[in-house]
Amino acid sequence: IMAIRWGICSAGKISHDFTVALKTLPQEDHQVVAVAARNLQRAEEFAQKHNIPTVYGSYEELAQDPNIDVVYVGTIHPHHLPVGILLMNAKKNVLIEKPLAMNLREVHELVATAKMNDVFLMEAVWTRFFPASLEISRLLSQETVGEVTMVRADFGVPLLNTPRSVEKELGGGALLDIGIYCLQFVLMVYGGEKPECIQATGVCLDTGVDESMVITLKFSRGRLAVCTCTVAVELPNDAIINGTKGAIRVPAHMWCPTSLIVNGKETPYPVPEPYLPLNFINSTGMRYEAEEVRQCVLKGLKESSRMSHADSALLADIMDEARRQVGVVYSQDHQ
């Protein structure tokens, strides 16, 4: 079995961390063969730092490279759609950073493009592939905590000085940037079920994006969930699943869980050490989604069962409704 040959699209912070994460996997399974940025110098610096053989100063050149199996797209949110379409039309498999797109319409467009070109497409919701997350799913299937009736997930980090988190044209806002992790966690727990009722309230910045949001979801059989996200302050950033016979708690970093507390007993699930300093916490945990992509591509699958196209569509649908209620409108919503 050959190695999966990765192309890295965009030479920013998240692409750096993803590349570092790939190096924690066996080299005979994963190789980074090319990087592209719209600024050639940045791509060259990135390639030098990560020892990547091929460098491009445009995404178009990367798309045309025949020696790439999968492209990781780490661009800012509004570029996910055009870059994803460019790559998939060149018959490239893609792993696109979350959120998959700016809204549900764009998600549908990406999925349709993937189907038309018969390529693999996945939203990089890395949380779902952590060993701790797989363990949560196993515990829920065994009804270790009985029937789950309440889920809570919080994610808040002070990002008001980070332009891509607050500027509307960069796709900013707490929900798309970090609130998506809380929602995907709830949907993972409730098996991808569509909520019966969505209620959102929030506070917007003068840039027109959401600074903070609280979303309450009601599911069938009276099951509830509450998601809180903010780019203004630090929150505990934990999550808890409450059932009739106990609870499962992710004590910290609910978006990249490295330990679980099940009915009071804590078990660690550590991630590997990085070979270069990371920009974000636990980033070597991106290795798990990368390995999932490899497994899917080797099997000829066009989507992952743990983060399917339907999962991405439901996530976008809920976020669209939450934004509508709070009054956050992007230019992409008018097309």
Side-chain angles (χ1 to χ4, degrees):
I1 295 173
M2 290 175 6
I4 290 288
R5 299 166 301 175
W6 289 89
I8 306 293
C9 183
S10 167
K13 289 181 176 177
I14 195 75
S15 292
H16 166 91
D17 283 16
F18 184 78
T19 306
V20 172
L22 282 177
K23 299 276 173 96
T24 68
L25 292 160
Q27 207 184 337
E28 59 270 23
D29 293 346
H30 296 267
Q31 284 163 16
V32 182
V33 296
V35 59
R38 289 178 305 171
N39 172 326
L40 182 61
Q41 193 189 337
R42 283 196 65 191
E44 283 169 346
E45 286 164 8
F46 190 98
Q48 203 169 356
K49 187 186 283 185
H50 295 283
N51 201 11
I52 301 170
T54 309
V55 183
Y56 297 115
S58 76
Y59 301 153
E60 286 77 12
E61 290 170 283
L62 183 77
Q64 294 311 317
D65 185 332
N67 301 312
I68 293 171
D69 301 310
V70 187
V71 178
Y72 169 78
V73 179
T75 61
I76 58 168
H77 306 161
H79 294 167
H80 290 179
L81 178 71
V83 172
I85 286 177
L86 169 78
L87 292 165
M88 290 189 288
N89 282 342
K91 304 288 188 252
K92 291 285 181 278
N93 298 304
V94 287
L95 173 65
I96 300 180
E97 204 35 80
K98 47 54 57 193
L100 185 57
M102 293 297 292
N103 54 32
L104 180 60
R105 180 187 57 78
E106 288 195 349
V107 167
H108 284 323
E109 206 175 322
L110 283 168
V111 169
T113 306
K115 290 193 167 133
M116 184 176 76
N117 290 294
D118 195 33
V119 293
F120 176 87
L121 162 68
M122 188 175 94
E123 181 174 11
V125 179
W126 64 322
T127 317
R128 296 222 165 169
F129 306 96
F130 273 70
S133 296
L134 300 178
E135 180 62 9
I136 288 172
S137 295
R138 192 184 70 79
L139 292 167
L140 293 173
S141 70
Q142 292 181 347
E143 298 192 349
T144 305
V145 293
E147 183 174 16
V148 175
T149 59
M150 180 74 77
V151 182
R152 179 185 59 74
D154 296 343
F155 194 174
V157 199
L159 293 169
L160 293 177
N161 297 322
T162 308
R164 64 163 196 86
S165 296
V166 296
E167 298 298 333
K168 185 180 270 195
E169 56 278 12
L170 300 181
L175 182 62
L176 259 59
D177 196 17
I178 61 179
I180 183 171
Y181 284 118
C182 302
L183 287 173
Q184 75 76 29
F185 184 86
V186 166
L187 295 174
M188 179 183 80
V189 172
Y190 286 143
E193 185 183 313
K194 188 177 171 130
E196 293 175 351
C197 173
I198 301 165
Q199 286 182 306
T201 183
V203 178
C204 291
L205 297 162
D206 10 353
T207 56
V209 302
D210 51 306
E211 174 210 87
S212 308
M213 217 183 269
V214 179
I215 303 170
T216 311
L217 304 169
K218 185 181 177 185
F219 293 85
S220 66
R221 305 199 305 280
R223 296 166 301 156
L224 295 172
V226 182
C227 299
T228 308
C229 62
T230 175
V231 290
V233 292
E234 186 85 35
L235 292 179
N237 297 337
D238 60 350
I240 188 154
I241 302 164
N242 294 287
T244 49
K245 294 183 198 160
I248 302 169
R249 189 162 158 249
V250 181
H253 314 312
M254 56 74 55
W255 69 100
C256 50
T258 50
S259 79
L260 290 182
I261 300 173
V262 182
N263 294 335
K265 183 177 180 291
E266 185 161 7
T267 309
Y269 296 88
V271 291
E273 287 300 306
Y275 75 97
L276 283 175
L278 297 166
N279 296 297
F280 307 104
I281 195 157
N282 293 344
S283 277
T284 53
M286 287 198 273
R287 71 200 301 262
Y288 305 117
E289 65 179 358
E291 180 56 26
E292 172 73 6
V293 171
R294 174 174 172 267
Q295 294 295 338
C296 289
V297 169
L298 290 176
K299 289 172 190 157
L301 301 172
K302 305 306 172 191
E303 59 183 312
S304 161
S305 59
R306 267 196 85 75
M307 190 64 214
S308 68
H309 298 162
D311 291 328
S312 293
L314 179 55
L315 207 42
D317 195 13
I318 294 171
M319 292 196 295
D320 283 4
E321 177 56 26
R323 287 196 296 111
R324 189 190 65 74
Q325 291 182 24
V326 174
V328 177
V329 182
Y330 297 107
S331 59
Q332 291 84 355
D333 298 328
H334 298 308
Q335 283 151 19

